[in-house]
Amino acid sequence: MADEAILRTRFSDPVDFTCADGTAIPKGTLVYLSGDRTVAIATANSDVIGVVARDKIASDGRTTVPVFIDGIFDMTDSGSGITRGAAVAAAGSNEIKTAVAGDVGMETVGYAIETASADEIIQVLLKPGCNNNAYS
């Protein structure tokens, strides 16, 4: 998958969430809560819950997928650049951007622990929902 989030430091085991059997979700994909303990592929401004730990193949009979809800991941900047320490949010196509005032609650993915130039891959501390009151 293009712009796959790559696990660098694991803090805890992935958590199983429900997903649609007919949906393919590649490993390293940002996912959001699409229903009660149910995930789908995140888009821009999604309420991100985490990163898929292994491939979910469409129509394989499985209706659960393991999701990392914390850790440090390599993630790709969406093209605008990100400052180290800034809260980041989903920008679509499995990319991240600097979080802004409108990115509240679970729209924030975590914190950049490196500075990114446009389209650069940086390490991000995965911490969904971290930007409730502080904006970069």
Side-chain angles (χ1 to χ4, degrees), residues 42-62:
T43 58
N45 303 316
S46 291
D47 291 337
V48 173
I49 189 66
V51 176
V52 171
R54 75 172 204 174
D55 287 332
K56 164 60 179 93
I57 299 167
S59 303
D60 62 357
R62 289 188 309 135

Side-chain angles (χ1 to χ4, degrees), residues 21-99:
D21 176 40
T23 301
I25 308 175
K27 175 182 178 179
T29 299
L30 291 170
V31 289
Y32 77 102
L33 288 172
S34 60
D36 292 345
R37 202 171 172 139
T38 301
V39 295
I41 295 173
T43 58
N45 303 316
S46 291
D47 291 337
V48 173
I49 189 66
V51 176
V52 171
R54 75 172 204 174
D55 287 332
K56 164 60 179 93
I57 299 167
S59 303
D60 62 357
R62 289 188 309 135
T63 57
T64 62
V65 64
V67 176
F68 287 110
I69 58 173
D70 59 14
I72 296 175
F73 289 82
D74 284 349
M75 294 186 182
T76 305
D77 170 66
S78 65
S80 56
I82 299 170
T83 303
R84 179 186 66 247
V88 296
S93 301
N94 222 44
E95 296 179 332
I96 55 169
K97 63 177 183 175
T98 299

